[in-house]
Amino acid sequence: MRSLAYLLAVACIAQARNNKYIVPGATWYDTDGVVLSAHAGGIVQANDTWYWFGQDEREEDKNLFSGLNVYSSSDLLNWKNEGRALSPVNGTDIDASRVVERPKVVFSEETQEWILWFHSDNSSYGLLQQGIATSPNITGPYTFQRAFNPLGGTSQDFGLFQDVDGQSYALYSNGDAADAHDNIIARMNSNFTDVEEVVYTFPDFDLEAPAIIYTGTHYYILMSHKSGYRSNNVVVFSAEKITGPWSIQSFIAPLGTRTFNSQSTMGITVNGSSTTTHLYCGDQWATAKTLYDSRYMWLPATIDESTSSFTIDWHDLYSIDTATGEVTYPEGTVYEAEDGVLSGSAYITTCVIDANSSVTFTGIAGTGNPQWVSVYYHNPDGLWGDNRSGTGQTFILWRNATVSVNDEDPVTIRQLSGSSGIILSQPLNVTFASGFDNTLTIAGVSGAWPNRTYSAY
């Protein structure tokens, strides 16, 4: 098996403020050039604008809850920061010491207000509630209304789906207790401020992070297993009616990739003039201490209605036209490790790089503008198993490597874990000089595991 360093020789972003592509797993910047922070989010479309709500997770924010952000976009590529949709309120259920996560928004025709739903909890996750806030404006600010136990029960990760008939549904699991491993679809009341009836229960599946995509033929509900910030294999069920019956579960991505190291959070449907495209949107979590460095994993879905199949394939980057619904994939140039210049203890089988070695690629074509490089690697460190029933061994979420262009200061990249034989890739935005005399060096990182690198390029 050959592992590749894959260079997309196309101009991509200028000052990180005019995105031409969606790059799964890359750091995403808003139109001001600031890292986009909207984790575990939800997206709603109003007229020709999309609004992305998500958790604010920044390195400088030390509170458990620092706020929910909202961004707007007309093309799904470039996002304007519209500010804080919901902020902490001292002495309430949305105090800075509380849990407010997985925001979803829906418009109530009855009240003429936007209703923001979220998972509400204390720091030990012992309350397991849902919360709502309201605003006359989609971007807020939203006014906190209440936190509650839906139908007197418990609620973990929250999702929301609005059907084509306007009816909205709450999606949630009912907890980790021995008698609470169910996943629930519950119909909301007429003004979307409460849940009033469970319409379907997935008994004892013990899943989380629910999201529904409707194609006009089938409903597809995506959910992940419970493995903390470790990614796992997202599953999908299908049904012709939201009330079921629902199919048995299947995986949406190749096993061993753990859904390309992501967890489901929402789906996007782009109804274009030429075609309808559905996007799987997931979070690629870092660790509990480094949530600010979590990334987004958005990939087009492949749906076969004849077999009710919903899958995603890997793409280093792509562009979507929200007017037509069409997705395009640029082509790049491939540079193979065995053609590079090795140093230290690196050797050619699959080109193993450790802390004292490197591989250098020469003769790289540059444009003088920012370009995307995708580094393909092999890191079979996923010792915990693909889902919750893992081995219990110590796990490594990623290893590190450095990338240096033309002998400039190196940049550290993460190489997330996969399974044996699984090749993954990590994107990096760099600027090569114009011409064909550029070099790119990938090196190991000295230090304790996991900072020591074992990878194949």
Side-chain angles (χ1 to χ4, degrees):
M1 180 182 295
R2 296 183 299 175
S3 297
L4 310 175
Y6 185 62
L7 172 66
L8 289 157
V10 288
C12 185
I13 57 175
Q15 304 299 318
R17 299 183 186 185
N18 183 21
N19 301 318
K20 295 183 179 180
Y21 305 103
I22 293 174
V23 188
T27 301
W28 205 335
Y29 297 89
D30 65 22
T31 54
D32 292 322
V34 179
V35 175
L36 199 156
S37 188
H39 305 283
I43 281 185
V44 62
Q45 186 179 15
N47 298 319
D48 295 325
T49 302
W50 304 82
Y51 295 89
W52 182 1
F53 296 80
Q55 297 166 210
D56 180 73
E57 303 287 354
R58 299 190 186 277
E59 187 172 9
E60 63 270 22
D61 293 324
K62 306 305 180 184
N63 294 324
L64 189 57
F65 171 53
S66 60
L68 300 177
N69 297 328
V70 57
Y71 296 81
S72 64
S73 175
S74 61
D75 60 9
L76 296 179
L77 307 175
N78 296 280
W79 293 89
K80 176 186 176 182
N81 188 348
E82 298 285 357
R84 199 57 59 82
L86 185 67
S87 299
V89 179
N90 291 337
T92 72
D93 289 315
I94 61 168
D95 188 280
S97 64
R98 302 294 288 267
V99 170
V100 177
E101 59 189 16
R102 296 195 173 272
K104 306 293 185 287
V105 171
V106 64
F107 183 70
S108 170
E109 293 286 353
E110 186 173 311
T111 65
Q112 290 296 295
E113 287 189 309
W114 292 91
I115 317 296
L116 187 156
W117 285 72
F118 52 89
H119 173 209
S120 177
D121 225 318
N122 59 14
S123 60
S124 64
Y125 285 82
L127 298 179
L128 299 178
Q129 295 181 317
Q130 294 170 5
I132 61 169
T134 60
S135 173
N137 306 307
I138 189 169
T139 56
Y142 284 76
T143 301
F144 174 65
Q145 300 296 335
R146 67 187 180 112
F148 59 97
N149 292 97
L151 301 173
T154 54
S155 173
Q156 284 187 320
D157 283 3
F158 182 81
L160 188 152
F161 172 70
Q162 186 170 32
D163 211 341
V164 291
D165 63 1
Q167 179 62 59
S168 289
Y169 298 85
L171 319 173
Y172 57 98
S173 60
N174 62 356
D176 293 326
D179 59 347
H181 290 171
D182 303 331
N183 294 92
I184 291 169
I185 302 175
R187 186 179 66 247
M188 293 182 177
N189 62 6
S190 61
N191 61 18
F192 309 151
T193 60
D194 203 348
V195 294
E196 62 181 13
E197 181 185 7
V198 173
V199 300
Y200 193 84
T201 299
F202 297 86
D204 203 31
F205 275 93
D206 202 26
L207 300 169
E208 63 182 5
I212 287 181
I213 289 177
Y214 180 56
T215 63
T217 303
H218 290 96
Y219 297 87
Y220 296 89
I221 187 168
L222 311 175
M223 292 184 278
S224 79
H225 297 269
K226 296 178 179 178
S227 53
Y229 290 116
R230 297 166 293 168
S231 54
N232 58 64
N233 299 307
V234 171
V235 298
V236 60
F237 304 78
S238 65
E240 294 182 1
K241 297 180 179 179
I242 198 167
T243 55
W246 288 81
S247 71
I248 61 173
Q249 61 183 311
S250 60
F251 300 117
I252 71 170
L255 295 180
T257 67
R258 301 187 182 94
T259 325
F260 304 113
N261 283 299
S262 72
Q263 181 187 43
S264 52
T265 186
M266 60 191 178
I268 299 176
T269 297
V270 180
N271 292 306
S273 59
S274 298
T275 189
T276 296
T277 295
H278 304 279
L279 299 181
Y280 160 82
C281 301
D283 287 287
Q284 189 179 83
W285 295 111
T287 66
K289 293 183 179 180
T290 58
L291 288 180
Y292 60 85
D293 198 27
S294 300
R295 314 288 176 82
Y296 310 102
M297 189 62 61
W298 292 16
L299 288 165
T302 299
I303 299 174
D304 185 342
E305 300 287 18
S306 65
T307 60
S308 303
S309 169
F310 184 110
T311 58
I312 57 173
D313 296 312
W314 177 254
H315 299 282
D316 289 296
L317 77 173
Y318 61 94
S319 188
I320 184 167
D321 186 329
T322 54
T324 65
E326 295 178 340
V327 176
T328 55
Y329 306 98
E331 296 182 358
T333 302
V334 174
Y335 296 84
E336 299 190 20
E338 59 228 53
D339 295 330
V341 179
L342 306 183
S343 73
S345 56
Y347 59 90
I348 295 294
T349 54
T350 52
C351 184
V352 175
I353 309 296
D354 62 22
N356 301 304
S357 61
S358 66
V359 58
T360 298
F361 301 91
T362 61
I364 296 176
T367 64
N369 295 309
Q371 296 169 253
W372 283 106
V373 173
S374 288
V375 179
Y376 277 67
Y377 66 90
H378 179 223
N379 176 14
D381 275 337
L383 300 180
W384 66 87
D386 280 346
N387 298 320
R388 191 173 189 173
S389 57
T391 63
Q393 300 179 58
T394 300
F395 62 87
I396 302 298
L397 289 178
W398 66 74
R399 291 178 182 256
N400 295 325
T402 64
V403 176
S404 177
V405 173
N406 296 332
D407 295 323
E408 296 178 354
D409 292 341
V411 175
T412 300
I413 61 171
R414 302 185 308 189
Q415 301 166 311
L416 279 78
S417 300
S419 295
S420 180
I422 296 295
I423 304 300
L424 300 171
S425 73
Q426 179 64 34
L428 181 66
N429 195 248
V430 302
T431 300
F432 293 105
S434 179
F436 296 87
D437 296 327
N438 294 283
T439 63
L440 184 146
T441 299
I442 303 171
V445 177
S446 297
W449 194 41
N451 293 323
R452 186 174 69 248
T453 299
Y454 171 90
S455 297
Y457 300 88

